[in-house]
Amino acid sequence: MQVFKMKPEEQNPKERIHNFKEVCLGYTKEQAIEEAKRCLQCPVPLCEKGCPAGISIKEFIKHIVDEEFDLALKIVLEKNSLPGVCGRVCPAEEQCKKICISKPAININLLERFVADNSEKIIKSVKKTGKKIAVVGSGPAGLACSSELALMGYEVVIFEALHKPGGVLTYGIPEFRLPNKIVMDEINYIKKLGVNIKLNSVIGKLFSIDELLKKYDSVFIATGAGLPYFLGIAGENLNNVYSANEFLTRNNLMKAYKFPEYITPVKKAKKTVVIGGGNVAVDSARVAKRLGSDVTIVYRRSRNEMPARNEEIKHAKEEGIEFVFLANPLRIIGKDDVEAVECIRMKLGEPDDSGRKRPLPLKGSEFKISCDQAIVAIGQGPNPMIGKTIDLNIGKKGNIIVDNNYQTSINNVFAGGDITSGSATVIKAISDGKKTAKIINEKIKRG
Amino acid sequence: MYKIKEKKFLAEKTYLIKLFAPDIAKKAKPGNFVMLRIDEKGERIPLTIADHDFETITIIFLVVGKTTEDLSKLNKGDNLLDVVGPLGNPIKIKNYGKVVFVAGGLGIAAIYPQLKALKRENRIISIIGARKKELLFLLDEIKQFSDKLIVCTDDGSYGKKGFVTDALKEIVDKEKIDMVITIGPPVMMMAVSELTRGKVKTIASINSIMVDGIGMCGSCRVRVNNKIKFACVDGPEFDAHEVDWDELLKRNSKYKEEECKCLK
């Protein structure tokens, strides 16, 4: 029996810590076909129930087996306009792969990535409805909603606050996990569907929601969770203490890692402490590593509770990033610049609201980690900008409140993605965007 | 693309440009700023909207670093890649009574739209300062909208010799002032704030280092009344007596080294 090569090639850790190129190189054609052949083509494909975008997984995999890659991509695009993105950043192990009955599970995400990277996206022409929709924010939720609406014949304009589209895909997720070229290629596909993206347009400042409602039949707010949380401990405003958002934005959106070729600066640290346990924390740690710093991630719970994807944690470990579990920062020490982070050891108690075991401090166990850079990656909240400028129903955490149909407290104004839920996943945002598109369509058709 | 419709040399290292940006111009209010980026490799920098008409916004800048130097080399007809705004909270235009503006450096440009807006309902005293005569600009414009204008230079080459705080002290000691608005280098604003503490309500416009300018990174965070505020979305104007000036001064010198490297 042929030995199955399930693992795609990866850049060697020793080399990749010196560049920002993609770590996982993806499947070759042979590997993709081989992997696709393992799919049992279940009569009732459970995997599809696990896909928030509802991709016809069984069917697209069959096309890979038959080497009909363009057809495979066509099937994927029917449900997801961002396959190259999702194939890379979806937590497939928690979704489609989790309920795949093959052992080990089929690498559905890598197959999705393969077809996205290796086939031509065909543009369908659609009959125009003559109705116009405004979408606020060009992150995953906004893009998914826009492409879905464009395919239904709506004229869609996305208003993006930054100078580049993509939201968190552009400013947040680093190139070694999600190359900017992939994001821009998929956005170009969405533009070709007829979606117009207006950059540098801050809604609430340049145009109000009321103004949009005068020109458009509906508005979809998808401004994401871009508000960085801070710890509220002493020393947090010392120099070289960054929010993960700032650190990632400088490097991803502004390309500070190419300073001084690119003008935005970032400090070259020797020792970085990253505080947090999610994907954003691990991304920040790996960027710092690539900028030449030794890196320690401090997380208050244990390895098991870390919200970051296993693959990212594994990659980080291979890259020499250290983890200090069950430790919580008490204060950041330094005169002008950060010099150390003082932490306290924690133990796990009873589960809290999030269902994870609550970390409790162990008295007298304080210790210091020396560093010349600290990155706070303890989460992001919904962007408050729009809520401040219009009378919308806003939740305690700053999230826009919507009903089951993504309808906000203002008629014809919908919202979805992280702005309604707080920081979640790319695919959840895509799913929200798609569902809202359907709801907007139904509502407009009802008249 | 945002076209430069006009460019003027105002003073040493100080330039004025008018940018074609009709949507921003329609919404611009006194106190607002824009973030601009010259080209693909450029950084985003915040600059106050000093004035506007129906289709252009006026930006005044001082050459202090790489981006402002590049900007000073552009001319009428050239384009900026990105301009986003109007950002930040505008000032509240109402009757305060007697208002003293204290400005230095680029702050001179920033007070202009504010005093212009407040002039109708308030008595305006403007105190502007510079190290020397060659660094002064907009004097006529500011005079036009001030009941009284006092100019100070460190070396006495124009107006009164001395600091803006000297002139402010004389006024505060002599008459009842309802509000002081100060915009300029943080050291100057800190000095103004110390002088008026416990005496006159004082507003300062915080010019901390920004990256996105829309509340997403926290680079511009400043401690106000012991709470973390973002200058870009919560400000830029705060109660000067509540600002942690020492921390702001430290944070604003963060990238000195890199700035030098970039200019070489």
Side-chain angles (χ1 to χ4, degrees), chain A residues 213 216-220 407-408 410-414 443-444:
Chain A
L213 280 172
Y216 298 87
D217 296 282
S218 283
V219 176
F220 177 55
Q407 169 77 54
T408 68
I410 299 174
N411 196 24
N412 293 328
V413 178
F414 300 82
K443 191 170 178 194
I444 287 179

Side-chain angles (χ1 to χ4, degrees), chain A residues 261-311:
Chain A
E261 184 200 347
Y262 283 73
I263 315 298
T264 304
V266 70
K267 291 279 178 188
K268 286 268 186 320
K270 290 190 181 71
K271 176 66 200 276
T272 302
V273 170
V274 177
I275 299 155
N279 283 319
V280 174
V282 180
D283 281 346
S284 304
R286 296 174 70 198
V287 169
K289 187 78 193 178
R290 281 159 176 75
L291 288 165
S293 175
D294 287 335
V295 185
T296 300
I297 293 179
V298 174
Y299 179 52
R300 61 193 184 133
R301 292 184 167 97
S302 76
R303 166 70 184 82
N304 293 335
E305 289 80 25
M306 261 185 101
R309 284 183 73 189
N310 281 335
E311 187 181 305

Side-chain angles (χ1 to χ4, degrees), chain A residues 208-271:
Chain A
S208 67
I209 296 284
D210 284 339
E211 283 171 300
L212 294 183
L213 280 172
K214 281 180 194 138
K215 283 190 187 169
Y216 298 87
D217 296 282
S218 283
V219 176
F220 177 55
I221 303 173
T223 45
L227 176 73
Y229 289 146
F230 286 93
L231 291 151
I233 59 174
E236 205 166 17
N237 288 1
L238 286 169
N239 283 341
N240 307 333
V241 180
Y242 293 93
S243 74
N245 259 16
E246 179 184 354
F247 187 70
L248 292 174
T249 300
R250 282 183 184 272
N251 284 295
N252 298 335
L253 179 71
M254 305 309 297
K255 303 274 175 280
Y257 68 90
K258 292 183 183 171
F259 178 86
E261 184 200 347
Y262 283 73
I263 315 298
T264 304
V266 70
K267 291 279 178 188
K268 286 268 186 320
K270 290 190 181 71
K271 176 66 200 276

Side-chain angles (χ1 to χ4, degrees), chain B residues 38-214:
Chain B
I38 298 174
D39 54 30
E40 194 48 46
K41 292 181 178 175
E43 65 179 332
R44 294 165 66 97
I45 60 160
L47 285 167
T48 304
I49 303 174
D51 205 353
H52 65 93
D53 57 26
F54 69 102
E55 59 172 22
T56 72
I57 54 168
T58 300
I59 300 298
I60 295 173
F61 61 94
L62 182 68
V63 177
V64 287
K66 169 74 178 158
T67 300
T68 42
E69 183 174 283
D70 289 349
L71 199 54
S72 73
K73 288 174 187 155
L74 297 179
N75 289 302
K76 184 178 171 179
D78 289 340
N79 288 297
L80 302 186
L81 187 55
D82 300 297
V83 180
V84 58
L87 302 173
N89 299 305
I91 55 152
K92 284 193 183 68
I93 299 165
K94 62 172 199 178
N95 178 7
Y96 296 97
K98 201 184 274 182
V99 180
V100 179
F101 281 92
V102 186
L106 206 53
I108 300 173
I111 61 162
Y112 175 63
Q114 302 199 8
L115 56 91
K116 198 171 154 185
L118 292 182
K119 176 72 183 86
R120 245 185 52 179
E121 294 178 82
N122 297 273
R123 197 177 137 74
I124 307 284
I125 301 173
S126 300
I127 305 173
I128 63 178
R131 273 187 292 116
K132 53 181 181 178
K133 185 182 163 192
E134 288 74 20
L135 293 166
L136 290 164
F137 58 94
L138 285 191
L139 292 188
D140 292 341
E141 289 83 350
I142 287 176
K143 198 172 182 179
Q144 192 191 337
F145 294 101
S146 305
D147 295 285
K148 191 177 175 187
L149 167 68
I150 303 163
V151 183
C152 312
T153 49
D154 297 4
D155 65 357
S157 54
Y158 191 96
K160 280 188 170 182
K161 185 175 187 308
F163 299 126
V164 285
T165 38
D166 302 334
L168 177 65
K169 189 170 185 309
E170 267 181 45
I171 294 172
V172 174
D173 287 347
K174 214 164 53 193
E175 40 191 312
K176 190 190 165 290
I177 302 298
D178 298 292
M179 187 158 75
V180 170
I181 299 175
T182 180
I183 313 183
V187 192
M188 182 206 84
M189 292 193 286
M190 180 168 80
V192 168
S193 160
E194 285 318 309
L195 200 149
T196 59
R197 192 179 295 275
K199 293 177 195 150
V200 190
K201 176 157 175 81
T202 302
I203 300 293
S205 182
I206 302 303
N207 51 347
S208 42
I209 299 170
M210 293 182 187
V211 182
D212 56 79
I214 53 173

Side-chain angles (χ1 to χ4, degrees), chain A residues 325-358:
Chain A
F325 294 112
L326 291 165
N328 202 29
L330 292 175
R331 62 184 175 125
I332 300 175
I333 302 165
K335 194 173 160 276
D336 293 354
D337 303 342
V338 54
E339 289 161 21
V341 177
E342 186 178 73
C343 304
I344 187 162
R345 302 270 177 211
M346 310 291 276
K347 65 170 184 187
L348 293 179
E350 293 301 307
D352 63 11
D353 297 346
S354 72
R356 292 174 301 174
K357 288 176 182 169
R358 185 192 299 275

